[in-house]
């Protein structure tokens, strides 16, 4: 919300570069997520206790059989990393779909109808913001048991606030524009006005929110899995990989560097993409 | 002003009641509490015994009002695991979490405000772009991973700070830095945009025309106006940081309420989990109320709205 206030007036080239870099990062990770197992001959779940903590290729003793080394159970790190990209992307996208549906519905209803309806929506947003997200997500997963679906469901039910805020304020702006009034005069029903006139015109703003929320969802999933209350093992979530490698990090720091850097770069890329989208929007609005 | 105050108080109270209800419902999600408390090896009789002992055989609505009635008086029941009053447990741990939150906020403000001002003054230059890049990096940094990295570098390699635990002030430095990272991007962007706006306004042009020094223009005129939203957002950020401290306290084994919550979640200690959710939510509600009041005090225009 507060971030939306400032659009840096950097040079056009720099901004386009940032957008391209963001697209590139997200594209590469998405490709890795789709291609997944075919990228490496190794199985992400196959243990080989004779080959535990093999170092990655750039360190002395590393080789190309396991380019990124192996973990404490001898599982191939590259295969797990690639599989982890799939988990992060799927959780990010599905969470955004769920939270986007909830938030947009609430926001559009509040912004379009105003009055009582808007009071209720604002109240819902206030309540949601006062709930500590990480704690509640942890508690729900802790009580109901680790599962992939539950993580998505919990995050989707918790991360809709920014969608609602943005959908509400943009709908309010659009509501009073001429083409919406024209649609009303032409005899369109309220539902068709919302779907045909309002939604397409706030969609770009929602796309920016979607990138921010996707980045947040991926970070939160990693944090939950790191604390042991997210994606269940042996699924190779990046957060879980960091948690499992934590005991070895003082002797071989690369075990937490590899999944950590992957997580950081993906989230950074998604945020770059979102910022780039917002800047494009900003210049369009100015025209 | 009084009307504004009353309205805000009423909303805050309603939100508090809603959160109270939600945090009660939260622990009933898992189905049968008695089975979870008894553990996997308990017999049917044990479960029945526990159900009656904890009053879980009563109708849900009765349990709810019983819990609310006690919670309002500050009685959150007794911890199943620690065998202590939940209110006492939280009372012992809360100062640690609040200290951590304040340390984090202090670090965040000390970094975010100067950088935000620098970016605004040098708007559009490489300084500005570097600062915005720092904000993006901060936003993308997984807090638990940053914590582990600091442990390796500051704790193991440079041996500057203790790696984990609770005790001296030194134990708060690393977690404080990690926690600050979560608030720096928002605070920095807000300072920057506030300063950019202030610097382009008429009163700054007047101040320049009067021949005031650069420092006096920045500090006395621009910053004072740009600081209003920063102050109120800082209060809200503190609320978010306290809620997010669970991950960081767990990483650093800092025994605040976040760590308590994590322990309780893994031990199915529902009264504690319920109470921690509620306490953190109430603190957040109080802080946003404070932020609104601060805003109204600092910016007289808001009072009449």
């Amino acid at each position: 919300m507060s971030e939306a206030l400032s659009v840096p007036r950097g040079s056009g080239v720099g901004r386009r570069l940032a957008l391209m870099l963001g697209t590139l990062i997200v594209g590469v990770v998405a490709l890795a997520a789709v291609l997944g197992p075919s990228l490496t001959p190794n199985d992400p779940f196959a243990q080989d206790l004779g080959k535990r903590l093999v170092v990655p290729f750039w360190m002395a003793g590393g080789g190309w059989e396991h380019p990124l080394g192996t973990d404490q159970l001898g599982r191939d790190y590259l295969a797990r990393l690639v599989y982890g990209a799939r988990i992060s992307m799927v959780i990010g996208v599905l969470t955004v779909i769920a939270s986007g549906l909830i938030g947009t519905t609430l926001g559009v209803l509040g912004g379009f109808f105003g009055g009582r309806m808007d009071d209720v929506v604002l109240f819902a947003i206030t309540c949601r913001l006062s709930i500590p997200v990480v704690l509640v997500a942890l508690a729900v997963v802790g009580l109901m048991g680790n599962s992939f679906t539950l993580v998505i469901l919990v995050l989707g039910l918790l991360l809709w606030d920014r969608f609602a805020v943005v959908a509400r304020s943009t709908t309010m702006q659009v509501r009073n524009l001429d083409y919406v009034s024209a649609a009303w005069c032409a005899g369109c029903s309220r539902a068709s006005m919302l779907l045909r006139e309002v939604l397409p015109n706030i969609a770009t703003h929602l796309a920016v929110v979607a990138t921010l929320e996707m980045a947040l969802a991926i970070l939160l999933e990693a944090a939950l899995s790191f604390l042991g209350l997210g994606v269940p093992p042996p699924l190779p979530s990046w957060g879980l990989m960091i948690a499992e490698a934590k005991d070895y990090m003082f002797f071989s720091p690369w075990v937490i560097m590899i999944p950590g850097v992957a997580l950081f770069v993906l989230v950074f890329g998604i945020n770059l993409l979102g910022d780039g989208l917002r800047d494009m929007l900003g210049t369009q609005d100015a025209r | 002003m009084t009307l504004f105050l009353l309205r805000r108080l009423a909303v805050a109270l309603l939100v508090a009641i809603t959160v109270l209800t939600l945090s009660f419902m939260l622990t009933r999600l898992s189905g049968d509490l008695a089975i979870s408390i008894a553990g996997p090896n308990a017999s049917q009789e044990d479960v029945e015994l526990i159900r009656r002992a904890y009053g879980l055989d009563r109708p849900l609505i009765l349990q709810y009002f019983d819990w609310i009635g006690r919670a309002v008086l500050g009685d959150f029941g007794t911890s199943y695991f620690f065998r202590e009053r939940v209110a006492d447990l939280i009372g012992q741990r809360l100062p640690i979490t609040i200290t951590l939150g304040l340390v984090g906020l202090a670090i965040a403000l000390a970094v975010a405000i100067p950088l935000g001002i620098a970016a605004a003054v040098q708007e559009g230059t490489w300084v500005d772009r570097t600062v915005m890049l720092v904000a993006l990096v901060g936003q993308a940094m997984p807090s638990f991973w940053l914590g582990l990295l600091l442990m390796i570098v500051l704790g193991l390699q440079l041996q500057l700070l203790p790696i984990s635990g609770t005790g001296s002030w030194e134990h708060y430095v690393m977690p404080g830095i990690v926690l600050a990272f979560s608030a720096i991007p928002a605070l920095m962007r807000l300072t920057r945009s506030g300063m950019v706006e202030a610097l382009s306004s008429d009163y700054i042009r007047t101040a320049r025309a009067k021949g005031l020094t650069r420092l006096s223009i920045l500090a006395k005129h621009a910053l004072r106006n740009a600081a209003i939203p920063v102050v109120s957002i800082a209060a809200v950020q503190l609320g978010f940081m306290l809620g997010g401290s669970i991950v960081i306290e767990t990483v650093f084994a800092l025994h605040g309420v976040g760590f308590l919550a994590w322990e309780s979640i893994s031990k199915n200690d529902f009264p504690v989990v319920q109470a921690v959710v509620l306490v953190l939510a109430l603190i957040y509600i109080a802080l946003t109320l404070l932020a609104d009041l601060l805003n109204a005090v600092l910016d007289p225009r808001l009072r009449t709205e």
Side-chain angles (χ1 to χ4, degrees), chain B residues 16-31:
Chain B
I17 292 171
T18 313
V19 174
L20 200 71
T21 312
L22 283 176
S23 69
F24 174 82
M25 276 158 52
L26 180 70
T27 52
R28 313 287 145 157
L29 276 177
S30 60

Side-chain angles (χ1 to χ4, degrees), chain B residues 5-244:
Chain B
L5 247 174
L6 283 176
R7 263 187 64 111
R8 277 299 284 113
L9 267 175
V11 172
L13 200 66
L14 264 176
V15 173
I17 292 171
T18 313
V19 174
L20 200 71
T21 312
L22 283 176
S23 69
F24 174 82
M25 276 158 52
L26 180 70
T27 52
R28 313 287 145 157
L29 276 177
S30 60
D32 199 335
L33 269 184
I35 293 178
S36 316
I37 299 166
N41 299 322
S43 66
Q44 190 61 39
E45 291 95 76
D46 292 344
V47 173
E48 280 308 315
L49 206 68
I50 283 174
R51 183 167 293 142
R52 238 167 292 135
Y54 289 114
L56 295 169
D57 51 348
R58 295 171 300 164
L60 205 58
I61 190 85
L62 215 71
Q63 294 181 39
Y64 170 66
F65 280 111
D66 184 38
W67 186 70
I68 280 204
R70 289 165 190 268
V72 166
L73 298 173
D75 176 12
F76 297 113
T78 311
S79 157
Y80 300 159
F81 177 74
F82 295 97
R83 306 267 163 216
E84 250 183 277
R85 289 182 54 222
V86 177
D88 292 344
L89 274 173
I90 292 179
Q92 291 156 15
R93 312 276 190 115
L94 200 55
I96 293 173
T97 300
I98 291 179
T99 310
L100 174 61
L102 290 174
V103 170
L105 185 65
I107 297 175
L109 287 173
V111 174
I113 292 181
L115 285 182
I117 294 175
V121 173
Q122 306 276 332
E123 195 196 349
T125 65
W126 64 269
V127 178
D128 190 12
R129 253 167 278 151
T130 312
V131 169
M132 294 325 278
L133 190 69
V134 171
L136 271 178
V137 168
Q139 233 175 316
M141 191 66 82
S143 61
F144 60 95
W145 184 61
L146 179 65
L148 297 180
L149 292 186
L150 288 183
M151 279 183 183
I152 294 177
V153 177
L154 296 181
L156 184 77
Q157 289 175 354
L158 302 176
Q159 309 230 325
L160 284 175
L161 294 162
I163 285 172
S164 67
T166 324
S168 66
W169 63 272
E170 288 157 321
H171 286 103
Y172 290 97
V173 179
M174 276 200 279
I177 295 174
V178 178
L179 198 55
F181 253 77
S182 62
I184 286 174
L187 290 174
M188 200 154 68
R189 286 187 152 133
L190 203 64
T191 310
R192 180 186 169 283
S193 62
M195 282 299 277
V196 166
E197 198 187 320
L199 285 174
S200 64
S201 62
D202 287 340
Y203 57 83
I204 295 296
R205 208 174 47 192
T206 312
R208 280 212 186 102
K210 278 199 300 186
L212 293 184
T213 60
R214 217 174 141 75
L215 185 71
S216 133
I217 290 175
L218 275 183
K220 277 202 191 149
H221 298 261
L223 187 59
R224 188 176 287 181
N225 283 284
I228 292 173
V230 176
V231 168
S232 60
I233 290 294
V236 178
Q237 284 289 334
L238 181 62
F240 281 132
M241 284 158 94
L242 293 177

Side-chain angles (χ1 to χ4, degrees), chain A residues 7-30:
Chain A
V7 178
R9 262 184 260 153
S11 68
V13 185
R15 261 195 266 158
R16 230 168 295 145
L17 205 71
L19 184 61
M20 270 161 57
L21 183 63
T23 317
L24 185 74
I25 293 172
V26 178
V28 167
V29 179

Side-chain angles (χ1 to χ4, degrees), chain A:
Chain A
M1 289 152 273
S2 52
E3 291 97 305
L5 292 171
S6 88
V7 178
R9 262 184 260 153
S11 68
V13 185
R15 261 195 266 158
R16 230 168 295 145
L17 205 71
L19 184 61
M20 270 161 57
L21 183 63
T23 317
L24 185 74
I25 293 172
V26 178
V28 167
V29 179
L31 204 66
V34 173
L35 295 178
S38 56
L39 282 178
T40 154
N42 295 312
D43 180 345
F45 301 104
Q47 302 183 6
D48 183 354
L49 293 177
K51 282 189 179 167
R52 300 169 65 226
L53 294 170
V54 171
V55 296
F57 71 88
W58 64 83
M59 290 167 70
W64 288 102
E65 192 195 345
H66 297 291
L68 295 183
T70 60
D71 70 0
Q72 66 288 343
L73 295 175
R75 295 173 294 196
D76 184 66
Y77 233 41
L78 178 64
R80 289 181 74 72
L81 198 73
V82 167
Y83 204 100
R86 185 178 279 186
I87 291 179
S88 281
M89 289 302 271
V90 169
I91 287 196
V93 170
L94 291 182
T95 302
V96 163
I97 292 175
S99 60
L101 278 176
I102 302 173
T104 308
T105 310
L106 284 174
V108 167
L109 287 179
F112 192 76
F113 292 104
R116 276 286 155 74
M117 180 78 94
D118 194 32
D119 289 343
V120 172
V121 169
L122 268 182
F123 182 72
I125 295 173
T126 317
C127 287
R128 160 46 213 98
L129 284 174
S130 60
I131 293 170
V133 174
V134 188
L135 181 53
V136 169
L138 278 173
V140 172
V141 179
L143 291 175
M144 300 180 67
N146 295 27
S147 96
F148 194 73
T149 338
L150 187 63
V151 171
I152 294 169
L153 212 66
V154 171
L155 291 180
L157 283 173
L158 284 171
L159 296 181
W160 51 265
D161 50 285
R162 212 170 345 195
F163 276 109
V165 170
V166 173
R168 178 176 167 272
S169 61
T170 47
T171 304
M172 279 179 168
Q173 288 165 14
V174 170
R175 181 180 59 180
N176 298 319
L177 293 180
D178 288 344
Y179 56 82
V180 178
S181 317
W184 180 238
C185 292
C188 287
S189 69
R190 285 214 173 90
S192 90
M193 276 166 72
L194 282 178
L195 290 177
R196 290 224 192 126
E197 311 294 334
V198 175
L199 262 188
N201 284 293
I202 65 169
T204 36
H205 295 272
L206 295 179
V208 175
V209 178
T211 59
L212 289 173
E213 291 306 314
M214 181 169 167
L216 190 59
I218 289 173
L219 278 180
L220 280 175
E221 179 275 319
L224 294 183
S225 298
F226 174 77
L227 292 179
L229 293 169
V231 173
L235 282 181
S237 150
W238 291 343
L240 201 56
M241 284 171 76
I242 297 175
E244 287 169 350
K246 200 178 62 183
D247 296 340
Y248 307 91
M249 70 175 190
F250 289 124
F251 311 106
S252 24
W254 60 266
V255 290
I256 67 157
M257 286 310 288
I258 291 173
V261 167
L263 183 59
F264 170 76
V265 169
L266 174 60
V267 174
F268 185 70
I270 297 173
N271 280 334
L272 270 184
L273 189 65
D275 269 23
L277 278 178
R278 178 166 58 214
D279 290 351
M280 270 165 55
L281 268 176
T283 48
Q284 267 173 7
D285 286 353
R287 268 178 229 150

Side-chain angles (χ1 to χ4, degrees), chain B residues 270-303:
Chain B
F270 307 106
V272 182
V273 180
Q274 231 169 13
V276 174
V277 171
L278 185 64
V279 167
L280 287 179
L282 288 180
I283 292 177
Y284 176 83
I285 294 170
L287 282 171
T288 43
L289 195 63
L290 182 75
D292 281 2
L293 292 183
L294 272 178
N295 244 345
V297 171
L298 292 173
D299 191 344
R301 281 170 299 180
L302 291 175
R303 278 177 231 165

